[in-house]
Amino acid sequence: MQDITIIRPDDWHLHFRDGEMLQETVPATARCFRRAIVMPNLVPPVTNKTEAMAYKSRIMAAAKDYPNFEPLITLYLTNTTTPADIREAKEAGIVASKLYPAGATTNSEAAVKGIKALYPVFAEMEKVGMLLLIHGEVTASHIDIFDREAEFIEQHLRHIVADFPGLKVVFEHITTKDAVDFVLAASDNVAATITPQHLLLNRNDLLVDGVKPHNYCLPVLKRNTHQQALRAVVASGSPKFFLGTDSAPHEKHKKESACGCAGCYSAWSAIELYAQVFQELDALDKLEGFASTHGPDFYGLPRNTDTVTLRAETWTIPDTITLPTGDDIVPFFAGQEVQWKLAE
């Protein structure tokens, strides 16, 4: 039996949601990850220090069995966000703010319309050392959904990075070779997170032999050539790329509906699935950097000091998970075998 022991990882992008959902999502993440960058797209969104601290308290209450777990709450940028909001948040220990183009993903209706209007906010973030996290897709209806990430790079991201060279930017949940190439060519102040679904799947896994709603996420799965670019760059060990699951729960009946809510709930199997990818790539020696060191190094935070062990053991992801509300969630890779298991 083969074991892999790595520094305890962190998840640099996920969605806990709120309310009773936290009783499911927080323990699922805290079983493995020491810290998590928590997305602020609640209803209503987390837009200031007061709301962020209240949300953190609700998460910590759900993490009562994991006292060492640390949620890193982020601010949701809107066109009414001010430099003062950024200063207050930074003083309260908030490390990052999130840019959603309006309409780009779940609960993004209140987000930014006209990115240049936020330049004073970006300037303040650059000044105080707060990271900018970006959902990098344009939302114009005439642009093909498979091209929206590449278009965002050309229309917006190149300009943000050039105009604010001291601002640390995380291009989140990247899905294309265009994004890989952009991050590799950019300065050391630009990095990216990559999800398990975008390493494991491509758009055939969403569309062939019928639409598979539980593989639907945003940004949407891309063609195989883009998937291979993501796999190649994580296998390279580049420190500019690190783990961000984008774990995003939706109740089964909401995924299997005309709404077709976007998101893959991967928290219960994420580190195991990443290990499976790195094994397939003959790059298990690069897993610790991707999962445990590149992220904190980029954020300017200390690396964790304890470890986790993954064991070469086959197990099957459950078909459903029942929420405290009685609703079911279908987890990512439901019913499929995984070759690695987190040791107790």
Side-chain angles (χ1 to χ4, degrees), residues 69 74-75 96 100 138 141 163 171 182 280 304 308 311 313:
F69 177 68
T74 57
L75 286 195
Y100 290 104
V138 297
S141 60
D163 293 341
F171 194 178
F182 177 83
E280 291 170 359
N304 297 325
V308 298
R311 183 154 295 153
E313 179 181 337

Side-chain angles (χ1 to χ4, degrees), residues 263-282:
C264 298
Y265 182 52
S266 59
W268 281 113
S269 57
I271 192 64
E272 295 90 340
L273 289 170
Y274 280 119
Q276 188 161 306
V277 169
F278 279 80
Q279 181 179 34
E280 291 170 359
L281 297 170
D282 194 24

Side-chain angles (χ1 to χ4, degrees), residues 138-158:
V138 297
T139 58
S141 60
H142 67 278
I143 297 176
D144 191 290
I145 192 170
F146 294 106
D147 297 332
R148 292 181 177 185
E149 185 171 278
E151 283 291 328
F152 186 91
I153 294 170
E154 298 306 318
Q155 291 187 25
H156 302 294
L157 190 54
R158 288 192 188 280

Side-chain angles (χ1 to χ4, degrees), residues 4-20:
I4 305 171
T5 298
I6 62 172
I7 297 169
R8 183 173 294 277
D10 303 298
D11 188 343
W12 298 98
H13 179 114
L14 60 70
H15 301 262
F16 279 143
R17 309 305 187 200
D18 206 353
E20 291 189 48

Side-chain angles (χ1 to χ4, degrees), residues 270-299:
I271 192 64
E272 295 90 340
L273 289 170
Y274 280 119
Q276 188 161 306
V277 169
F278 279 80
Q279 181 179 34
E280 291 170 359
L281 297 170
D282 194 24
L284 278 170
D285 60 316
K286 303 298 196 304
L287 176 63
E288 184 175 59
F290 177 80
S292 309
T293 66
H294 299 168
D297 290 354
F298 187 78
Y299 270 77

